[in-house]
Amino acid sequence: RPLEVPRALRRRVQPASGLCAARVAGFVRTLEEAQQGQALTSDLTGEHLGARGREPGLRRTPHEAAAVLLELMAEADFVLFEHFLLDDAGHNQDMASALALIGELDQFLRALAAGLRPGDHLLVVSDHGNVEDLSIRSHTRHAVPLLCFGHRAHEVAQQARSLCDVAPWVLELCP
């Protein structure tokens, strides 16, 4: 049967994971919740939304964004965060933007990893290659990195060989 798209998710192109989260979990955090420090925007800092005129008042550092995500992780068994801007930089073949975004993500992920509680796990993975080859505008078939943090990180990293291995680990790591 057709999937009903919640009003909060309606836009021109829908990310599959957002649709799944809305369908399975029943909700996706909103821009209003991001303004209240209870959610993140997909651009981490709010800078890119502001540049597009969508939310000029929302600004946070990568460290502040990590603090918000750590709070969400403390409240839930599973938190999914998607970041699309590196994909955009790859499609636009924009090296300066890609380097700046990688720097932001590096700060964000370091702060996240440092703030994990003993039972937490953090998996960072891409659904496809793109930004590693700016000579083309399309997605690549290159292998994508899998970053794992938490007490079973080594086990996950040793056993995961493809993107198909990520979902079973997510299910196993969730209480």
Side-chain angles (χ1 to χ4, degrees), residues 14-34:
Q14 297 298 321
S17 55
L19 290 171
C20 290
R23 178 71 169 176
V24 174
F27 72 93
V28 172
R29 297 286 172 135
T30 65
L31 183 56
E32 291 77 26
E33 288 169 305

